[in-house]
Amino acid sequence: MIKHIFIATIKPGVADANVEQAIQNMKAMKDTVPEIQSLTVGRSLGWAGSADTVSMVIDVADQASFDRLIASDAHQKVSATAGEVFRTDNFVLSQISY
């Protein structure tokens, strides 16, 4: 199993409604990308670390599944609009095997 971790910093001044829409768009990938076995997305609570981020964790079976996720139309759409809500110069991406 592969866990894909994505953390994005919210741009200053972006309305909460726009952040929530971006989160909903990320969550919707699970509906159309069969490789996604589990998907969790949410805004940081700010208890420790940065309070102005959104994190997404996706579980897929293997690297081939990850590659199909990244190439999917749903992921491409989310990626194409990310810059409207998030800073694109400091994304944190990590994949771990478990």
Side-chain angles (χ1 to χ4, degrees), residues 8-12 82-83 85-91:
T9 303
I10 301 166
K11 285 182 172 179
V85 176
F86 304 117
R87 288 181 46 195
T88 58
D89 63 332
N90 69 342
F91 288 156

Side-chain angles (χ1 to χ4, degrees), residues 8 10 15 22-23 25 33 35 39 42-43 61 76 78 90 95:
I10 301 166
I23 290 170
N25 292 345
V33 181
E35 289 78 12
L39 185 147
R43 190 172 186 159
Q76 294 300 312
V78 166
N90 69 342
Q95 298 79 45

